[in-house]
Amino acid sequence: MMDFHKLEAFIAVVEEGSISRAVVRLNIRKPSLTRIIKALEEELNTPLFKCFPSGLETTEAGKVLYHEALSLLNHVQAIPQRIKSITQDLDKINFGFTNSVGLHPFLPNLLHGFREAFPKVSIHLVEESSNLLIDSINNGKNDIIFLRIPVPISLELNSLHILDEPLVVAMPNNHPLTAQADPLQLLDLKPYDFVRYRHLEEQNLFDNIMASFYQLGFRPRIIQEAPLLSSCLNLIAAGIGLSIVPEATQYSWSNKQIVYKSLNDDLLSSVPIYAVYKCSTENIHLQYVLKLLSKYLK
């Protein structure tokens, strides 16, 4: 019967090119190695080597066996590491997301559902920019990330469109637009001062917002930029200007000095949320997260 020891011995003979050199590599006696090769040839009912004065040469059957045996042994040798990596990850799962995605209620609902199924698994959360989050998936630091943009197909990552989040206009409670009926159009905002929340974490989101204004032929009058969403909202509450923010902002940052009005424009009314993860995964926790996400899918 063919076994791994026979295949290892056969591979050694092929790679060394002679029985004499192979016995040194394998640290066994020459008669024992000769018997192993003969047993393989009898089992397969075909010669595996041709003998020449310069050494041994594999037959066509021997070449096929060598490649198959090498592939099989490499796979077997990788099993312990694969099992180790899986078991090491059994006690934790790593989520990454941008700032605005972290405000959406789907995320705490998702974490709650996961905690109910895996109460002993540690949940690690990381808030970063889109580029850093994509790097974190590629280097294994995060199991799944949530972005406002899909990732390029060439990165061998899956981008799963989870949902579209409506955008709203945040304005001071004494702003003229508070008296206007919902929903607002982008052109309604043209005469007014803007406060822009521009941070590396959300660069893509706000680049898209600015691009929509440019398509309408005007540049919004930005009188101040804020490095964080919370800073932007504080400026709005102080009456400095208005801004366009994801809908979940109004639920996580409630302030009587701010009024939120819905936005419905052909160019811009919502922003997507994508889940991004590696195409091939054996992580049972990630598989369960994807199952939970299925109810949100567009």
Side-chain angles (χ1 to χ4, degrees), residues 106-280:
F106 96 89
L107 187 56
N109 291 338
L110 176 67
L111 299 177
H112 177 74
F114 180 83
R115 172 64 75 196
E116 284 190 327
F118 299 96
K120 294 183 179 181
V121 174
S122 175
I123 298 174
H124 292 223
L125 304 179
V126 176
E127 183 180 310
E128 277 289 1
S129 68
S130 297
N131 288 338
L132 289 178
L133 288 173
I134 293 171
D135 289 342
S136 76
I137 282 287
N138 285 320
N139 62 31
K141 289 184 178 180
N142 278 316
D143 299 301
I144 187 168
I145 57 175
F146 298 96
L147 310 175
R148 292 293 184 182
I149 55 170
V151 295
I153 297 175
S154 60
L155 294 180
E156 297 184 355
L157 300 174
N158 278 332
S159 293
L160 189 63
H161 186 190
I162 304 300
L163 54 87
D164 289 315
E165 181 179 5
L167 289 168
V168 296
V169 183
M171 63 189 71
N173 59 7
N174 60 353
H175 196 281
L177 285 176
T178 59
Q180 186 164 322
D182 285 7
L184 298 178
Q185 303 286 311
L186 288 176
L187 283 174
D188 295 330
L189 312 182
K190 183 177 180 179
Y192 301 106
D193 294 337
F194 271 74
V195 177
R196 184 167 65 170
Y197 157 48
R198 183 172 185 175
H199 191 269
L200 183 60
E201 293 178 5
E202 300 294 349
Q203 188 64 50
N204 300 108
L205 169 61
F206 290 95
D207 282 348
N208 288 339
I209 291 175
M210 295 301 293
S212 298
F213 285 121
Y214 297 153
Q215 287 185 60
L216 289 172
F218 76 95
R219 182 185 182 89
R221 192 165 64 237
I222 298 169
I223 61 171
Q224 194 159 344
E225 290 192 351
L228 298 171
L229 179 56
S230 57
S231 303
C232 178
L233 294 169
N234 278 317
L235 291 171
I236 294 170
I240 306 300
L242 56 77
S243 189
I244 297 175
V245 298
E247 182 185 52
T249 307
Q250 63 185 313
Y251 307 122
S252 60
W253 214 91
S254 179
N255 187 313
K256 292 182 179 180
Q257 295 172 296
I258 297 179
V259 172
Y260 296 93
K261 305 280 285 184
S262 61
L263 179 68
N264 187 9
D265 194 283
D266 290 340
L267 288 178
L268 186 71
S269 61
S270 65
V271 285
I273 294 178
Y274 291 89
V276 178
Y277 54 95
K278 286 188 176 179
C279 292
S280 58

Side-chain angles (χ1 to χ4, degrees), residues 67-125:
H67 291 295
E68 293 294 330
L70 203 59
S71 175
L72 179 61
L73 289 177
N74 286 339
H75 180 77
V76 170
Q77 290 167 359
I79 289 176
Q81 183 57 43
R82 292 176 65 195
I83 297 298
K84 181 180 178 181
S85 63
I86 291 172
T87 54
Q88 283 178 338
D89 289 337
L90 287 179
D91 62 344
K92 67 177 180 179
I93 185 167
N94 302 298
F95 292 85
F97 47 86
T98 60
N99 178 264
S100 70
V101 173
L103 298 176
H104 197 283
F106 96 89
L107 187 56
N109 291 338
L110 176 67
L111 299 177
H112 177 74
F114 180 83
R115 172 64 75 196
E116 284 190 327
F118 299 96
K120 294 183 179 181
V121 174
S122 175
I123 298 174
H124 292 223
L125 304 179

Side-chain angles (χ1 to χ4, degrees), residues 51-68:
C51 295
F52 295 95
S54 58
L56 297 176
E57 184 179 308
T58 52
T59 62
E60 289 303 313
K63 291 176 183 177
V64 171
L65 179 61
Y66 172 71
H67 291 295
E68 293 294 330

